[in-house]
């Protein structure tokens, strides 16, 4: 987890007033399985104390999805994290044509840009066929 106190995928997020009177982003309906009609896949995280601002990036790839090249980015998002931020989220919206059933991976990067050095971890989720 490194820089993250926690990081989870969810169907949504909510904002609450945190312990230090700051806005805290919390996951709503944490899961790693989503339906094809999901309006988005949220990655919600809480951070350890940090001493400079940076960005968190999420790049989504179809790891095992019929008909899709696993090297193609099908979604991405970024969030600027300021010094006072203790939590945040990324939203992966459905690719053109919607989510196809299968397994996806999200590479999480932190820093100023996406490169090999900025990679901090990988998360996975599954789009399940409707009715399962």
């Amino acid at each position: 987890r490194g820089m993250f106190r926690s990081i989870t995928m969810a169907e949504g997020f909510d904002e609450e007033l945190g312990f230090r009177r700051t806005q805290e982003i919390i996951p709503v309906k944490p899961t790693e399985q989503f339906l094809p009609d999901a309006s988005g896949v949220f990655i919600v995280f809480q951070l350890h104390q940090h001493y400079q601002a940076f960005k968190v990036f999420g790049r989504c790839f179809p790891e095992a999805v019929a008909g899709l090249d696993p090297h193609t980015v099908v979604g991405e998002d970024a969030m600027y994290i300021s010094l006072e931020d203790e939590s945040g989220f990324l939203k992966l919206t459905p690719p053109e044509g919607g989510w196809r059933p299968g397994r996806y991976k999200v590479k999480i990067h932190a820093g100023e840009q996406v490169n090999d050095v900025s990679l901090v971890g990988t998360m996975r989720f599954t789009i399940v066929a409707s009715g399962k």
Side-chain angles (χ1 to χ4, degrees):
R1 292 185 184 187
M3 68 192 317
F4 299 105
R5 281 189 297 134
S6 68
I7 184 167
T8 188
M9 293 188 161
E11 292 182 7
F13 72 92
D14 203 356
E15 293 184 54
E16 293 182 354
L17 192 57
F19 174 72
R20 294 187 188 103
R21 315 286 286 157
T22 59
Q23 289 296 334
E24 185 175 334
I25 298 171
I26 57 169
V28 171
K29 296 184 180 177
T31 185
E32 293 177 4
Q33 294 187 347
F34 299 86
L35 293 174
D37 64 353
S39 62
V41 172
F42 291 85
I43 299 171
V44 181
F45 51 87
Q46 277 72 43
L47 298 160
H48 288 292
Q49 187 174 10
H50 48 93
Y51 299 103
Q52 72 181 57
F54 61 95
K55 290 182 186 174
V56 174
F57 302 88
R59 299 183 89 191
C60 183
F61 299 87
E63 187 171 45
V65 180
L68 293 180
D69 178 355
H71 299 96
T72 302
V73 176
V74 295
E76 59 188 328
D77 194 17
M79 181 176 191
Y80 179 79
I81 304 297
S82 63
L83 284 175
E84 61 273 4
D85 289 334
E86 296 179 2
S87 60
F89 73 94
L90 300 171
K91 180 182 181 183
L92 301 170
T93 56
E96 190 173 318
W99 294 112
R100 293 189 193 180
R103 190 155 179 83
Y104 294 79
K105 70 178 175 182
V106 183
K107 292 185 176 184
I108 307 294
H109 294 263
E112 293 302 316
Q113 61 187 7
V114 174
N115 57 42
D116 291 340
V117 176
S118 68
L119 182 64
V120 294
T122 302
M123 300 182 75
R124 289 175 169 79
F125 67 94
T126 303
I127 299 295
V128 295
S130 297
K132 284 193 175 180

